[in-house]
Amino acid sequence: MQTNEHTLGGIKTSFEECTQVLAAIGDETRQMIFLAMIASGCDGMRVGEITVKTHLSRPAVSHHLKILKDSGIVKVYKVATKNYYYLDPSGWLPKLELLLGHLREMLDGGSSK
């Protein structure tokens, strides 16, 4: 399989831009929170609602939400004193798509002989 430096450089750069997101969604507990948010339509969920859906403790949910928030997967908005967490794919999904595109390009390029 031949790979050019441009493709490898693109993969390396894309991968580096995705490491925080990949690490965040690599954890099973955060995957459970992510899926709970998707299942509820996720216009926003409070920590208490997530604890009910996931059967996790409030401190555990808060801890994992912070990691998801720091990685840009989740954002928060406030209504009075209540925090609502929601998925925001605008920052991380295009980066993952770019990484997958680079990988696809590399693999497709190597299969044509």
Side-chain angles (χ1 to χ4, degrees):
M1 178 186 304
Q2 279 189 330
T3 320
N4 65 40
E5 284 187 40
H6 174 72
T7 303
L8 285 176
I11 290 171
K12 182 179 185 298
T13 301
S14 292
F15 193 80
E16 288 169 349
E17 291 177 0
C18 292
T19 53
Q20 195 174 11
V21 170
L22 293 171
I25 61 175
D27 180 86
E28 287 182 37
T29 302
R30 289 189 285 277
Q31 291 170 15
M32 192 169 34
I33 292 169
F34 185 89
L35 293 172
M37 294 176 85
I38 289 172
S40 45
C42 205
D43 291 328
M45 292 180 78
R46 299 192 59 220
V47 171
E49 295 171 300
I50 298 170
T51 62
V52 169
K53 297 258 185 199
T54 61
H55 306 290
L56 296 167
S57 68
R58 289 179 75 85
V61 169
S62 294
H63 167 74
H64 289 290
L65 280 173
K66 180 181 180 344
I67 293 168
L68 290 168
K69 193 173 137 216
D70 290 348
S71 70
I73 294 171
V74 169
K75 291 199 175 175
V76 62
Y77 68 89
K78 294 181 180 221
V79 176
T81 60
K82 298 176 183 176
N83 291 329
Y84 292 87
Y85 295 88
Y86 65 98
L87 298 173
D88 179 24
S90 66
W92 55 272
L93 191 56
K95 291 177 185 176
L96 288 177
E97 289 171 334
L98 185 61
L99 173 60
L100 290 174
H102 286 303
L103 289 170
R104 196 171 285 121
E105 177 183 325
M106 183 189 80
L107 295 172
D108 289 346
S111 64
S112 59
K113 294 182 179 181

